[in-house]
Amino acid sequence: MHAPAVPALARHALAVCGLTVCALVVCATAAAAQGSTVNERADSLVEPSSASSRSLVHTRELRSQGPLRIAERNPLYQLFLTPMVSGADVLSWGESRILMSNAYSNIFEYNQSPQLRQLFDVERLQTTVVLSYGIAPRFELGLHVAVQHDWGGFLDPLIQGVHTTFGFPNADREKVDNNDYRLHLESGYDPVRTYLDLPSGTAVESPRIVLAWQVAGGPEQRHALALRTTYKAPVGTARATRHRADAAVEVALRRSTERTHLHLSAGAVTINAPARLDALMRGHAWLASLALERSITPGFSLLAQFSGG
């Protein structure tokens, strides 16, 4: 999601190294009984019914594992609502899920233009817990809670070494000391106006409430269509939020064959920025995601994903 209204925030370079480990626990607390009829004729043993032909006939091992649950990592955008890419499958009534993830990022953005002076030089560890529950048939309610820790880190020499070895651009990293911390953005003209200046440390992000509706299909079908709305509460630690409410809406679609899954999503988000950031931020942004997944073995898939906005 890119929200700047002017090209002044166009970055000379961005290097992000992320390591994400996700643990997913699914607890089935209730299940709906399903009836079936048996045709005693011999040909019924080889002729699938029309209902079963529309169902996802492959087993649990070949179900979709995607898309990747990723969100924008830019520290400025993360002060507002940055929706996480989600799939098109909604939990069944009474089913619950706990998703825990850790993401470690090396973020460097350097800009010394007549309009802006920017230095984002930070390593961030973000721990996220997502609790979801099927509150009714075809409806799911979720709560996202996250804690972030920013510091100077240790990856700068490694990244510069890789860039030098393979001849990659170094994104002006040589202009600042390695493993220093800075999260600063100000105007490049007089009078100087500070837009962002955040200290290192640990902070609690604004909680997010997500309501999802399974419009069509579902986990057992070859297709699924879902509508998600997200609300960001205006609470949290000052260095991790601007204490302003935001909202987002997203439409997600999945289309599956026996082993191949296509994931599409698109949506919009409000950006309720404070007055001092009006020159840099739009009032809203669009986002979209495309992912192609190939199931290989039980619980293992190859997935290519693009997200932007």
Side-chain angles (χ1 to χ4, degrees), residues 286-303:
W286 300 95
L287 58 144
S289 177
L290 166 66
L292 184 62
E293 177 186 359
R294 178 69 175 177
S295 298
I296 305 300
T297 61
F300 178 76
S301 296
L302 294 179
L303 191 149

Side-chain angles (χ1 to χ4, degrees), residues 27-281:
C27 307
T29 58
Q34 296 182 351
S36 61
T37 60
V38 178
N39 191 328
E40 295 181 353
R41 294 184 305 169
D43 59 358
S44 68
L45 298 178
V46 294
E47 293 286 337
S49 68
S50 60
S52 63
S53 66
R54 291 193 299 269
S55 298
L56 193 61
V57 296
H58 56 267
T59 63
R60 175 181 293 275
E61 290 78 13
L62 297 182
R63 284 184 183 175
S64 169
Q65 307 294 317
L68 298 175
R69 293 175 175 266
I70 58 176
E72 172 65 52
R73 308 302 300 166
N74 184 291
L76 176 60
Y77 303 148
Q78 282 199 311
L79 294 173
F80 309 99
L81 177 56
T82 52
M84 180 182 295
V85 174
S86 301
D89 296 316
V90 173
L91 292 177
S92 301
W93 186 14
E95 190 176 29
S96 62
R97 178 178 61 217
I98 302 175
L99 175 66
M100 295 170 288
S101 67
N102 287 293
Y104 192 83
S105 305
N106 178 284
I107 302 166
F108 183 86
E109 300 185 30
Y110 181 86
N111 183 10
Q112 298 291 314
S113 69
Q115 292 79 29
L116 284 177
R117 289 195 289 265
Q118 175 190 12
L119 178 55
F120 291 175
D121 187 6
V122 58
E123 291 188 13
R124 171 170 291 179
L125 173 64
Q126 185 179 40
T127 300
T128 305
V129 177
V130 181
L131 308 175
S132 303
Y133 184 74
I135 58 174
R138 310 186 76 82
F139 282 91
E140 172 189 316
L141 186 65
L143 175 65
H144 294 220
V145 181
V147 177
Q148 60 179 235
H149 178 73
D150 290 350
W151 66 311
F154 61 93
L155 291 176
D156 287 349
L158 174 62
I159 294 173
Q160 289 195 50
V162 171
H163 289 174
T164 301
T165 300
F166 293 97
F168 298 150
N170 209 27
D172 293 321
R173 286 177 176 267
E174 69 280 356
K175 295 182 179 180
V176 299
D177 293 334
N178 284 335
N179 301 333
D180 274 1
Y181 170 88
R182 196 73 193 275
L183 204 51
H184 186 82
L185 179 66
E186 66 181 20
S187 62
Y189 47 82
D190 291 329
V192 174
R193 189 177 187 182
T194 299
Y195 299 117
L196 192 69
D197 192 14
L198 299 178
S200 60
T202 302
V204 178
E205 299 181 9
S206 297
R208 305 173 186 187
I209 300 172
V210 181
L211 179 64
W213 171 35
Q214 190 79 76
V215 180
E220 301 295 336
Q221 303 282 321
R222 290 192 180 275
H223 71 282
L225 178 66
L227 176 67
R228 279 183 169 83
T229 58
T230 304
Y231 170 76
K232 181 183 77 70
V235 296
T237 308
R239 68 172 311 281
T241 180
R242 297 296 87 179
H243 293 137
R244 289 167 175 256
D246 282 304
V249 61
E250 176 194 15
V251 177
L253 171 69
R254 174 183 56 76
R255 188 71 180 177
S256 299
T257 61
E258 185 174 353
R259 290 177 176 266
T260 303
H261 316 278
L262 176 66
H263 305 273
L264 299 171
S265 68
V269 57
T270 64
I271 303 174
N272 190 8
R276 70 175 183 277
L277 292 176
D278 281 347
L280 303 176
M281 309 290 290

